[in-house]
Structure formats: structure tokens, C-alpha cells
Amino acid sequence: MTAPANTVVRTGRDGDDLLVAVRDLKKHFPIREGALQKVVGHIKAVDGVSFDIRRGETVGLVGESGCGKTTLGRVVSGLTEPTDGGVYFGLGGEERRKLDTLLEVQSPDRTDEQSEALSALDANHRVDVMVGDAFDHYRRNCQVVFQESFASLNPRQLIKDIVGRPLRVHREASGSDLTERVVELLEQVGLGRQHLFRYPHQFSGGQRQRISIARALALDPELVILDEPTSALDVSVQAQILNLLHELQQERNLAYLFITHDLSVVRHMADRIVVMYVGKVAEAGPTQTIFERPEHPYTDALLASSPDMKESAQDLQALEGAIPDPALPPQGCRFHTRCPVATPACGWEVDDIVRWLEDEEGMFDELRDVERKSPFEAALSFRSEDAANRLAAALRSDAVPDAMRSAIEDLNTTGTDTRIRFTAVDEVQLTLRSEDHVAACVLNRGTSTEPS
Amino acid sequence: MSLIDGIGPEAAPRARPAVASVKDLRVHFRSKVGVVHAVDGVSFDIGDGETLGLVGETGCGKSVTARSFLDLVPMPPGIKAGGAIEFRPHHTCPSCDGAGCETCDDSGRQAEPCDSCNGGGCEGCGHTGQRTIDLLEISEKDLQTIRGNRIAMIFQDPGKALNPALPIGEQVAEVFFQHRADDLLADAGASDGTEALGGALIQRKAGLKTSRIEDFLLSLPPLRGQRTKLMAAVQTRVAEALAETQIPNPRKVMDRYPHELSGGMRQRVMIAQAIACDPDLLIADEPTTALDVTVQARILELIRDLQQRHRTSVLYISHDLSLVKEVCDRVAVMYAGRIVESAATSSIFTDPHHPYTQGLLAAIPSANHERGRLVAIPGNVPELIDPPAACRFAGRCPYEAPACTAHDPLATTITANHEVACFIHHAPAGDEERPTWDRKVR
């Protein structure tokens, strides 16, 4: 599969303030089955994602649960090793340009010289291969605040030890000096000396989240990954935490990767937004652009189904269907199975027919076998001729979406078999819509420049 | 006596009495350090066919209030410390079959007449002439005929509320066996019970009361036919109930186990279970909190649609103000075991009168707020152990005055259908200084 360079969310400005560069990142989890635990497939949690995080900015990562946003956060924070691609930390502007040129060449085509240059860059900047001082530097400068503050604080440790741990590990402080540093940190997040000798269970949810933030800030990092930091909190406490995060960002020029499913929070906090859908970026761009001129129908759907996004009390726009299985992501555009404006070019495939049969009374039980030549071409054999004819009739009628019907190139029924061929399409790539704004949709709303 | 009587017929004359009225409900919990006043004098009415939203932060007592309806609060440590929950059971109007006609005031539902006065109006039914049951007083056996039948509940996490060891179909069927045994027997054509042994057994089977030996007897040839008919009747009803919640291919879903379904589908099954007996009151306790925004939108749409078609009254509990705005006719805001404000949804959101409600609304992040300038309510929710007779919001309130810590504000009607418990709007008992909007303390 190709990894075109234009999938990168490019910065409008010069790239010298770059902090993290994520390039074609993939994380696949094996599915094991049977007594021998044979690998039968892969959950493609993150499947080719590229974006940048600049110093002092907040990047919001939004999507439904299961779209891979938490996995992406874990890979960026180095807690999970990527399957392919890389997270590059602390690249200078010059190095970034060099890296992008090198990555444009596919690995088999690289000259020895290019491979060497790339591995030199990797050793110093790629999170999963870097060692020694470079890794130490990265660890200090990238911290995480987790969603479940109760699960991420050791219940058997005192607050003093929890917040002081990073300082101790990195040999920054010890003894009474350490205690003073911890007090300083606690005061920054609105707690105080009186909380030093308490256990996590003695605090409320909001206070525990403050402790998590204090711990993350202990080593004065450049990047903090916030994985749903306020979703377990009440709205009034959430407001306190969001204000605190903003204050700290102003003081310390922190960069945030803000992972959330709450659009009103992300609109409030983020400078740029990356919308993920089934392991891929659906749309990315500046917050205002995403909210005012979304280019991807999935972004539309997210905005429409969020009740606080609307001023008037019009009906919620609900999205049909369920999020597809990330082990077998749909062809073409991954959103075409639920898309209200899908076109014939969106990647209609045999699986769409199988899914349709599942929901149809009595049809799925009639299906005996599906013989695939490709994702777009297959022969479905049924137990009875009647069922085969019913399917063929349905595919020619209004029972299926218009776009799906138009995408059928060939359809013929012989006896109990139905042969179907759809127009084969490639995966939809991100295209530039306006400055710093990319979307992966075959449609172009014409509100901005032509795709590059 | 009651604090929020005014919402009821007295304040705004309503043709029909409320389907349920909570009067000065107090539920306390015994703990090591003292008695926690989790719900402390809550009163509200749920009108017939109305959706009432109960909002508040974690620990304000909204779930305990809802669970008290069906005696789901564990006792001990819970204590019923007082009050009453009056419930007036209804049934579908026989003359129009729910479509709405003259006899039922176009509501499609009719209240059952009071036992002692037969509709005339007496002391026992609060002069409404309708059968009135105090849910806190009746026996467990009587409550079982109401629970799941006249009042149903949808829980927050469908993954936990459904039995993981039973297929979906069996779980939904339980509702019918429990409350609609007679209908099932009629469907199966076994209602007359002519055969002495077989009739009795099949009736017991329909009520899920058979022992193992009886089950064995039913599986033998002479009775097997009847059992099969009964099971087929149940299956049909279950499939209908599931189809009602727009579950595709319900007959297939019936054989699945909860873990095979997505969160949204599980919540649909819960809703199917809840509305199976066409209840008068549906209690939805944060039904969409565990779901994604896109799924949430569909579930809300479904609840709203079902409510309109069945004309069920809904008590909708949520911590999310923006959701409540979408679904509710009227909203009651709870804080620390009390209702601080209640009004029609539009007036709560456009014209909040209580400082706490104002704080909650201001804390929702929106495009209008500059970053870092969200108005957070300072401090934490107070401990509810033996609270003093004072405003519960004093200490966090920006307008606090001496009167707030000396007296307990009672809910008072400000404008028609708008109630607030705050001294800014009404005078305290003593002559202490009152809070005003002009003076901001914090």
C-alpha cells in the first residue's frame, strides 16, 4: 500500500516549531484463535495515520469509541510499540524535511545511502527505536494523563510518592528537596501541603485528576497526552480542570494531544482537530474550519449528533448502522457503509451485501457460501433459487441504497447462485481542501481549493 | 407539608392529575460516620404523558430518588426516612385503543378509579378519584405487580443490567411470563384449562412457576403440544417488542447473548424489555451515558418516538444538561439531596433563577467562551452527613448572605410553573440580610 506524502497534515507556517511528527503510523493487534493460538487476522486499530504536533499547541483527537484514538495516544506516548510507521520526537525543521523526503521513497527502492540516513534519524528521533540519552530526553518530555484517575494512581502509595516518583526516577530531587518540589507541583494544580500524606481514595474525582496532572507536570515536559481527562467528571468540575489545563499551557508552553469524544470540550480546547474513523484520519484541520466548514460527512454526523453543538432545538441527526469491524475495514472510503451522501465511487463491496442480508428477515439463513474473487467480486450461493432471485430483485430495486445499486457493474443469477461485481476502487486518500485542512472524501464541497 | 406542591394542580390547573407525585421524599443511608441524607425532602409531580428531566451532579441523589420508586435502594444501609411516592396506575383507553378520544381527553389513557370512592374523590386518593398507591408503603408482592408492568426502568449500563448467561429472547420473555401470563395462555389457546392436570400445569408454566418435575411432565407427548404453542406465543410477543425498538431481524437477535451485541443494540433490548408491558411511567436512569454520541442520538430519538406513540410518562435522569434540553418537557435541578429549581425546559435554559443552575449552565464549554474562561463552580459538593438547616449551596454560592446559612430556603413559585429554592427570590423566616444579584461575594 502506498503512503503518499500528502497524507501529512502540513503546517501552514514553517515547520521549525515541530515537536512530534507521526508518520504513517500503524498498530495492528493480532486475533488469535484455537488451541495453538494461531493468528487468524488483525484488528487494525490504527491504520496509517500521519499528523504533526507543534510546540505549545493543542491537537484534539476525536472519534467514536473503537476508532483507535486511545491506541494512537498510547503509541505516541511510547506505551505501545507501533506495527509500522513511526512517531518522531524533537525533529528540527531541517530534519523534518529530510525525513519526509526519505519516507516518500518506498523501502525496497531506497538506496543504501538513503537507508543509512533514515536509520540515523530513527536512532535519534523515532520513539520505538531510540535508546540512551535520546530516549531519556523523550521520556522526560512526554507525559500522559489517563481517563480513569482511580486506576492510574496506585492506591497503596501516598500522594507525596505518586507525584514525586518521576522526580526520583530521573534523579531530579531527593529528601526534603523532593518534598518541596512536590508541594510546589500540588500548589500549581490547586492542592496543597495538607494533601501530601493522603491516599488516592481520600480524594474526589476532580482532585484525583489534578494529582494525575501534577504528576505529569513533575518533569516539566513539552508534550502531555490527555486521554479523555474529563469524561469521568461532572460538568462543573470539568470546567475547573479545563481552566487549569489552559493556565498550565500558557505558563509552560505545553503541547497537548487531547483525546476525547466530547466535541464541545474539543472545540473549547483545541487549536487543531484530527477526526478519526476506524483507524484512519477522516478529516483534520484548524478547529474553526472543522466546525464551520466540515468537508467529511462523518464530521457532519458527529457535529449533528452532539446536542450541545446546536443552538436551536431541532431534531438530532442520527447516524445509521454500527461502526464497522476494524479487522475487516470497508474498502474505498471506510465511512461509506453509514454515509448519508455516499456515491458509487465510495467503495461498495461484497461485504455490504452480506451485511444487508444479515438484517433482512430470513435471508441470511438461506445463504450457503460466498466465493470471493476480490473484495468487489463474488458469487453468493443460496439454498434456494427463490432467495437468489429475491436478492437479485432487491439489488435492482429501492431496497438498497442508490449509490450501491449504481456501483454494480455486473449482476446475474443462475439457479441458486448470484454473481456480483462492483466497480473496484482504491482507498480514498486525504486531500488538501484549504490551508492546513485535509479530508478523505471523494466529494469536494467546493468551499475551498482543488485537491492537490 | 410538601415543598413543591405548587407544580401540581394548585399552581397551574391541569385537567388531569399527575401519574406520579413524589412528596417530601427522604432517603437516608447509615454509614460509619453518621447518617447521610442522600435525598432530603424531594417533591415533584410527573404529569401524564410528560417527560420530566432530573439533573444534577454525581452524588446529588437523583438515582436514589429514581430507585425509590421501585424499592431498588438496598435497605439497610438505606433508610426510608419519610415522605411518599404516590402512583396512579392507568390503562389504555378502551373506547379509542390509545388513539385519543373524548372520554380520555385525547391522551389515549385512562386512570383506574379509586377503590374506596369509585371515582368520586375521597381522602385516600387526594380527591382525584383515581386509584392512588403509595409505593413506599405497599408490600413487596404488590410492588412486583407494578414493577416492570406499570413502572419500568432503563438502567445506565446495559452491559451490566442484562444477564450475560441468558439469550436476549429469554430475558425479554420473562417480562411476559411475569405480567402477561393470561394473555399468553389466550394466545396459545389454553386459557380454559379443560384438562385438569394439563391446564393447571400450562398455567403454572405461563407464570414461570413450574418445578423441574412439572417441566419434565410438560415435555412428555400429551402436554408437549400445548407447551410448544405457549412458547411460540411468547416468541411472537418478544419479536414484536424487539421490532418496536427498531432492532433489525429480531428473531435472530433473540438467540444471541448480550455480549454478541453492540452497546446501542443492548440498550435497545433494555428498552424493549421496559416497554414490553406498555408502562405508565418509564424511568430512564442515564440511558445514554455509556454510549457513543452517534449511538446516543439514535437512542434518544427512539425513546422520544416510543414515548409519543405509547403516551408514556418518562422520568429522565441525567447529568448532562444539553441532553435534557433535547428530550424533556420540564426539568428539575437537584443539588445535594434537594430540588433547587424546577421549571419548563425552555425557561430553565433561557432564564435560570437559582445560582447553582446558572453555574451549571455556564460551565458547559461552548464556542462563546474564551479558552480558560469557563465559569467553574468553586469548591466541592458538601458532605451530606447530618446537614445543618441552611442552604446546601451556601459556601459555593457567589451571592451568599447571612440568611443563607441561618435558614433553609424552601421551593417557592416565582412565575407560573417555575419554582426556586433561593432567598434571592423570597424572604427568609428571620430578618437576616438576604442575598441579592447585585452583590457578588466570590
Side-chain angles (χ1 to χ4, degrees):
Chain A
M1 190 159 294
T2 56
N6 67 4
T7 53
V8 177
V9 182
R10 295 234 182 242
T11 65
R13 292 172 269 155
D14 187 44
D16 284 337
D17 54 355
L18 183 80
L19 183 61
V20 174
V22 177
R23 289 293 176 271
D24 198 28
L25 191 71
K26 286 180 185 158
K27 178 66 198 176
H28 296 178
F29 293 102
I31 309 168
R32 294 173 194 277
E33 248 173 39
L36 295 175
Q37 292 291 291
K38 215 175 107 195
V39 176
V40 293
H42 285 93
I43 301 270
K44 292 166 183 159
V46 179
D47 201 20
V49 169
S50 305
F51 64 93
D52 291 343
I53 304 173
R54 298 189 283 252
R55 282 177 212 279
E57 80 167 349
T58 305
V59 174
L61 194 58
V62 289
E64 286 174 278
S65 58
C67 73
K69 55 189 195 299
T70 295
T71 306
L72 180 59
R74 288 183 65 92
V75 176
V76 173
S77 60
L79 293 172
T80 307
E81 296 234 322
T83 311
D84 195 19
V87 178
Y88 295 85
F89 190 83
L91 289 172
E94 191 54 45
E95 285 167 311
R96 207 256 321 233
R97 275 184 283 279
K98 200 165 127 196
L99 175 75
D100 280 343
T101 345
L102 287 170
L103 287 178
E104 260 172 48
V105 189
Q106 290 305 293
S107 54
D109 308 333
R110 272 180 209 139
T111 60
D112 287 349
E113 200 181 321
Q114 280 173 329
S115 306
E116 222 167 85
L118 192 60
S119 44
L121 269 178
D122 280 359
N124 281 322
H125 297 288
R126 205 173 110 186
V127 167
D128 56 318
V129 292
M130 58 164 67
V131 283
D133 284 349
F135 188 64
D136 196 54
H137 174 75
Y138 162 70
R139 267 276 171 262
R140 276 166 169 270
N141 282 299
C142 173
Q143 298 288 332
V144 194
V145 175
F146 295 97
Q147 173 177 7
E148 276 282 328
S149 59
F150 205 72
S152 61
L153 299 177
N154 189 336
R156 292 163 47 137
Q157 284 187 355
L158 293 169
I159 298 313
K160 174 179 89 88
D161 297 321
I162 292 173
V163 178
R165 173 55 62 92
L167 293 169
R168 206 191 282 272
V169 167
H170 286 269
R171 300 175 202 284
E172 284 264 321
S174 62
S176 61
D177 183 30
L178 178 72
T179 314
E180 284 316 306
R181 292 278 295 271
V182 171
V183 171
E184 213 174 281
L185 284 163
L186 288 178
E187 278 167 359
Q188 280 195 351
V189 297
L191 299 171
R193 193 180 290 276
Q194 70 274 25
H195 298 113
L196 275 180
F197 295 95
R198 290 196 198 167
Y199 289 100
H201 73 264
Q202 292 169 295
F203 293 90
S204 68
Q207 284 175 320
R208 279 201 298 268
Q209 207 54 281
R210 285 169 191 269
I211 294 165
S212 294
I213 293 170
R215 176 175 63 180
L217 294 180
L219 291 165
D220 204 5
E222 289 175 319
L223 171 70
V224 179
I225 292 159
L226 303 160
D227 189 358
E228 309 247 10
T230 59
S231 62
L233 304 176
D234 277 315
V235 61
S236 64
V237 186
Q238 168 176 291
Q240 294 172 8
I241 297 288
L242 294 182
N243 283 347
L244 170 71
L245 286 171
H246 177 70
E247 235 167 72
L248 293 167
Q249 183 170 41
Q250 294 297 305
E251 267 169 36
R252 299 172 170 230
N253 196 28
L254 288 169
Y256 289 142
L257 177 60
F258 201 106
I259 302 169
T260 182
H261 64 270
D262 190 333
L263 287 163
S264 50
V265 170
V266 92
R267 180 178 209 176
H268 183 75
M269 291 295 288
D271 299 309
R272 280 189 308 133
I273 290 178
V274 177
V275 183
M276 268 183 89
Y277 185 71
V278 200
K280 276 199 167 287
V281 175
E283 185 166 6
T287 306
Q288 210 183 348
T289 319
I290 294 273
F291 277 91
E292 282 168 10
R293 280 177 284 124
E295 284 276 336
H296 200 285
Y298 179 62
T299 317
D300 288 343
L302 276 184
L303 293 178
S305 55
S306 175
D308 7 74
M309 284 298 118
K310 291 178 315 199
E311 301 303 318
S312 61
Q314 49 178 301
D315 270 4
L316 290 174
Q317 287 293 310
L319 201 55
E320 298 282 334
I323 194 163
D325 182 5
L328 295 163
Q331 301 291 321
C333 170
R334 296 189 171 190
F335 187 56
H336 79 256
T337 55
R338 303 165 79 188
C339 186
V341 294
T343 69
C346 288
W348 296 95
E349 57 182 312
V350 177
D351 281 336
D352 293 322
I353 293 188
V354 177
R355 256 192 294 274
W356 182 81
L357 286 173
E358 272 179 37
D359 287 350
E360 201 65 10
E361 191 85 43
M363 285 292 273
F364 197 60
D365 298 320
E366 293 288 316
L367 186 65
R368 203 171 50 202
D369 191 26
V370 181
E371 200 181 306
R372 288 162 212 262
K373 275 190 191 154
S374 75
F376 303 102
E377 189 175 1
L380 285 78
S381 55
F382 290 92
R383 287 181 207 289
S384 67
E385 273 184 41
D386 182 41
N389 289 327
R390 260 175 73 194
L391 173 65
L395 289 178
R396 290 194 183 101
S397 71
D398 284 341
V400 297
D402 270 351
M404 179 168 166
R405 209 166 0 133
S406 320
I408 299 174
E409 279 189 343
D410 189 24
L411 170 69
N412 60 66
T413 311
T414 43
T416 58
D417 285 7
T418 306
R419 296 196 158 274
I420 299 163
R421 195 175 74 232
F422 285 103
T423 319
V425 295
D426 287 330
E427 191 150 12
V428 177
Q429 302 295 348
L430 285 168
T431 48
L432 198 66
R433 302 303 167 103
S434 57
E435 189 187 320
D436 213 11
H437 179 195
V438 291
C441 182
V442 294
L443 298 174
N444 195 328
R445 301 197 173 161
T447 50
S448 43
T449 55
E450 281 295 299
S452 58
Chain B
M1 189 204 86
S2 152
L3 297 176
I4 312 194
D5 258 349
I7 308 176
E10 287 88 345
R14 199 179 288 155
R16 303 162 57 77
V19 73
S21 348
V22 176
K23 292 192 171 158
D24 198 28
L25 178 70
R26 287 166 199 273
V27 182
H28 298 172
F29 288 91
R30 205 166 278 141
S31 77
K32 277 181 195 162
V33 276
V35 175
V36 180
H37 295 226
V39 177
D40 208 18
V42 163
S43 306
F44 59 84
D45 284 356
I46 305 170
D48 197 17
E50 176 186 60
T51 304
L52 175 71
L54 199 56
V55 282
E57 291 178 278
T58 317
C60 71
K62 54 191 193 302
S63 279
V64 174
T65 307
R67 279 158 188 261
S68 302
F69 274 78
L70 297 173
D71 196 20
L72 297 176
V73 180
M75 314 256 174
I79 309 161
K80 285 178 197 164
I85 301 178
E86 287 173 1
F87 173 63
R88 300 182 186 89
H90 286 57
H91 53 76
T92 317
C93 175
S95 49
C96 61
D97 201 27
C101 63
E102 292 233 334
T103 36
C104 57
D105 286 342
D106 280 334
S107 73
R109 285 181 171 274
Q110 262 190 347
E112 290 172 18
C114 175
D115 292 334
S116 49
C117 60
N118 205 15
C122 63
E123 203 60 36
C125 55
H127 301 287
T128 56
Q130 302 183 352
R131 193 151 82 89
T132 305
I133 305 165
D134 186 352
L135 295 173
L136 297 182
E137 296 296 329
I138 60 172
S139 68
E140 174 66 21
K141 206 171 153 234
D142 289 339
L143 191 60
Q144 273 177 7
T145 63
I146 292 175
R147 196 191 277 151
N149 184 10
R150 304 323 313 154
I151 304 179
M153 191 151 175
I154 306 170
F155 294 93
Q156 177 173 357
D157 192 345
K160 283 181 191 150
L162 292 172
N163 186 342
L166 282 182
I168 298 299
E170 283 188 35
Q171 302 193 37
V172 181
E174 268 179 27
V175 184
F176 292 110
F177 282 129
Q178 194 71 47
H179 300 293
R180 293 285 183 269
D182 293 342
D183 292 355
L184 289 178
L185 287 169
D187 287 0
S191 54
D192 49 357
T194 38
E195 297 158 74
L197 174 69
L201 272 185
I202 207 78
Q203 274 179 17
R204 283 173 69 80
K205 178 77 187 167
L208 278 190
K209 289 179 189 134
T210 42
S211 65
R212 266 192 210 176
I213 296 176
E214 288 169 328
D215 268 334
F216 174 68
L217 286 176
L218 280 170
S219 70
L220 295 178
L223 297 173
R224 197 154 65 188
Q226 279 199 31
R227 194 190 65 159
T228 317
K229 271 190 206 157
L230 178 71
M231 287 330 224
V234 177
Q235 303 267 312
T236 316
R237 292 214 164 209
V238 171
E240 276 169 16
L242 291 175
E244 184 86 332
T245 55
Q246 292 155 22
I247 291 176
N249 214 346
R251 295 254 172 200
K252 255 197 127 46
V253 173
M254 279 159 66
D255 300 332
R256 301 240 180 106
Y257 287 87
H259 74 264
E260 295 176 81
L261 303 179
S262 66
M265 285 290 258
R266 282 199 286 245
Q267 196 58 279
R268 276 163 202 272
V269 171
M270 286 271 294
I271 294 171
Q273 230 174 4
I275 60 150
C277 289
D278 202 1
D280 303 321
L281 176 63
L282 183 65
I283 301 172
D285 189 358
E286 308 229 11
T288 61
T289 308
L291 306 174
D292 266 318
V293 276
T294 51
V295 184
Q296 166 177 300
R298 285 188 63 80
I299 295 289
L300 286 181
E301 201 177 79
L302 176 69
I303 292 178
R304 230 168 9 182
D305 171 56
L306 288 172
Q307 193 227 352
Q308 272 163 16
R309 270 194 295 136
H310 294 256
R311 299 167 191 267
T312 312
S313 316
V314 179
L315 176 61
Y316 192 95
I317 295 166
S318 181
H319 68 275
D320 192 337
L321 285 160
S322 43
L323 272 189
V324 165
K325 189 178 179 180
E326 290 286 323
V327 286
C328 298
D329 303 322
R330 211 152 54 83
V331 178
V333 181
M334 265 188 98
Y335 180 75
R338 289 276 174 85
I339 288 183
V340 293
E341 182 164 8
S342 71
T345 307
S346 52
S347 63
I348 279 259
F349 284 95
T350 51
D351 186 20
H353 280 47
H354 198 282
Y356 177 65
T357 318
Q358 294 180 345
L360 271 188
L361 289 172
I364 302 173
S366 80
N368 309 331
H369 287 109
E370 202 182 317
R371 211 176 291 169
R373 291 293 167 92
L374 285 179
V375 189
I377 303 173
N380 293 309
V381 181
E383 297 269 349
L384 295 176
I385 297 164
D386 302 317
C391 176
R392 303 274 163 101
F393 194 51
R396 298 179 80 185
C397 181
Y399 309 103
E400 192 189 320
C404 302
T405 44
H407 300 282
D408 201 356
L410 298 184
T412 311
T413 309
I414 303 298
T415 55
N417 272 336
H418 201 135
E419 297 236 340
V420 189
C422 179
F423 288 135
I424 293 185
H425 301 285
H426 56 88
D431 49 5
E432 286 87 356
E433 191 192 343
R434 279 171 58 185
T436 58
W437 292 125
D438 315 327
R439 202 192 49 174
K440 218 166 179 160
V441 184
R442 300 183 177 82

